[in-house]
Amino acid sequence: MITHPLFLIPAAALALAAFVFGLWSAWRPGNGVRVVGQHPGWQGLGIALVLAGLGLGLAEPRWGKPEVARLTVQVLIDASKSMAVADAGGRSRFDAATTFLDRLWSEPTPGAAWGLDAITGDAVPLLPPGEDRTLLRETLLALKPGDVGAPGSSFGRGIPQAAGEVDKGRPAILLLLSDGEETWESESDANFRALAALKEAKLPLYAVIFGGTAPQPVPGATAADGKEMTSAARPDFLKQLCEASGGRLLTTPEEVRALAQNLMQGTVPLPASRSPKPVHPEAGAWLALLGFALWLFGAGRPMTGWRLALALPLLFAVTPAKAQPASVKAWLAQRALDNGDLKTAQRWSPQDDAPNHRLLAAAIALQSRQPADALQRLAPLTAGGVPRPLPAWRAPALLMAARAQKELGKTDDAKALLTRLLLESPGQADASYDLQALTPDPTPPPPPDPKNPPPPPPMRPSMGAQKDELEGRQIRMPKTPQAPKGVKDI
């Protein structure tokens, strides 16, 4: 999988040109080339590999398992009047859609962030992506079909607006719950506009269809001539749109949850720019280094004195991680830790005796859930004797050691370390807070006084308060304007 395949075309053309010129020079070498012992064929191949490696690195190939499971699912629920039709198993289409989402969010999906928009004549943002499933379910209670946004259903307008809300480069999909009925324009025009936006944003669309294909009357909706308006689900329209964007139709919450897990694990592909698989630009660097070595090999006698100096970058690159200088390893580990790349930080974790490097190695061990290794690295820094004035690394070392002892279940040892820190450096706010958290209050609560009973606990929110909250949410939502003349309001 290649993130930016366009870089491969010019790189391949330049590499091929360099290789052809190298072969041409090797076939008809000049006298100077023969005298100095150059090998134009090897040099041409080396330059070709350098150019190909540059193109491959810029193209950013992806493979392997994702280091962090993450996925943004932007949920689009149809809130037009046609969703009030009661032909979804004896319930309205909107009730069936909210029940579907309620079942979907009844169980956690680690790593997935859920956003919520309402789709009508346009997109109405309700909640940004997050993991608060309770808030998502409560927001659905304040939503009623036909009460928000522009009248009708416009997938050609709503889907591009929703696609623009998703951050670029993040693993993400759109999940649409609707009857699939387009009322603003023809289905072909809506399909063209929505599909163009989805392809530009590199977002696959997955959809769940609600309602029957037989026309049913829309409650409370009448045409301009006074006739009752009808609505019918259009699964073929949404199926065509989903499959053209790289998605498909779904049927059950369990299927959606399994799809999210597979997308986060990389077993179900996403567009390359949104794939959770890690990027490996170093593959191009290795190819370029191989080409550089071949170029040195064919450089001839004039480059003999420079070969060692020019080969140092190659030797530095192929040297194992353990043989790198400690300062370089610490810099690479700190950079990886700041970027959340724990695997790379573990690889470059410094093993020398510098105090700051020991603190960094202990921090990596703590984030890797290895408190015993962290204590081992911090042991020389937390010894009894300490120079005066107190070094800058002393307080962080004792705080991290106390945290490691706490994770190992040794609360008394953790409190002893925090007490030592407060004795050596009074006024350490972090140490005081941690020590208070580890030390329970020894004073038992006073017995109840029958003459002065404690105040009753606060009353739980009643259904009336919950109803007031829902009414407040409904008031804050954008109201549907008066339907313009000639628009089919369903």
Side-chain angles (χ1 to χ4, degrees), residues 131-334:
E131 299 183 13
D132 192 341
R133 293 175 288 116
T134 302
L135 181 60
L136 290 164
R137 296 160 78 179
E138 289 180 350
T139 303
L140 290 177
L141 298 176
L143 190 63
K144 294 181 179 179
D147 282 0
V148 297
S153 301
S154 177
F155 300 104
R157 296 176 57 192
I159 289 179
Q161 292 173 8
E165 299 176 15
V166 182
D167 294 338
K168 295 182 179 179
R170 288 184 59 89
I173 61 172
L174 296 184
L175 177 62
L176 173 63
L177 294 89
S178 172
D179 53 17
E181 188 176 26
E182 171 70 36
T183 61
W184 275 73
E185 54 189 343
S186 65
E187 290 186 353
S188 59
D189 292 340
N191 191 322
F192 176 79
R193 294 174 58 185
L195 188 58
L198 291 173
K199 288 185 175 181
E200 182 180 359
K202 303 295 189 298
L203 277 173
L205 175 67
Y206 294 85
V208 185
I209 298 294
F210 297 93
T213 56
Q216 298 291 335
V218 179
T222 56
D225 55 1
K227 294 183 179 179
E228 190 176 38
M229 303 183 70
T230 60
S231 170
R234 298 287 298 160
D236 295 338
F237 167 63
L238 284 188
K239 181 180 179 180
Q240 180 183 4
L241 181 58
C242 290
E243 292 179 350
S245 67
R248 57 187 173 89
L249 295 181
L250 303 172
T251 55
T252 63
E254 292 74 21
E255 190 177 3
V256 177
R257 201 176 293 114
L259 172 67
Q261 292 288 353
N262 292 334
L263 289 171
M264 287 187 286
Q265 295 170 4
T267 56
V268 173
L270 275 172
S273 60
R274 294 188 179 274
S275 175
K277 294 184 177 181
V279 181
H280 294 279
E282 68 275 7
W286 285 109
L287 187 61
L289 287 172
L290 176 61
F292 181 63
L294 290 177
W295 182 85
L296 284 178
F297 173 76
R301 284 189 292 274
M303 296 297 296
T304 303
W306 292 91
R307 283 180 182 174
L308 180 60
L310 293 175
L312 284 178
L314 179 63
L315 295 174
F316 180 80
V318 301
T319 303
K322 294 183 178 179
Q324 299 287 359
S327 58
V328 176
K329 293 173 64 177
W331 179 79
L332 293 172
Q334 184 66 60

Side-chain angles (χ1 to χ4, degrees), residues 355-356 358-359 378-402 416-426 428 431:
N356 290 334
R358 284 187 174 272
L359 289 176
L378 293 171
L381 306 182
T382 57
V386 61
R388 293 289 180 176
L390 205 65
W393 47 260
R394 179 67 171 181
L398 289 174
L399 287 172
M400 282 196 287
L417 290 171
L418 295 173
T419 303
R420 186 195 307 174
L421 176 57
L422 289 174
L423 291 175
E424 293 176 354
S425 178
Q428 285 282 344

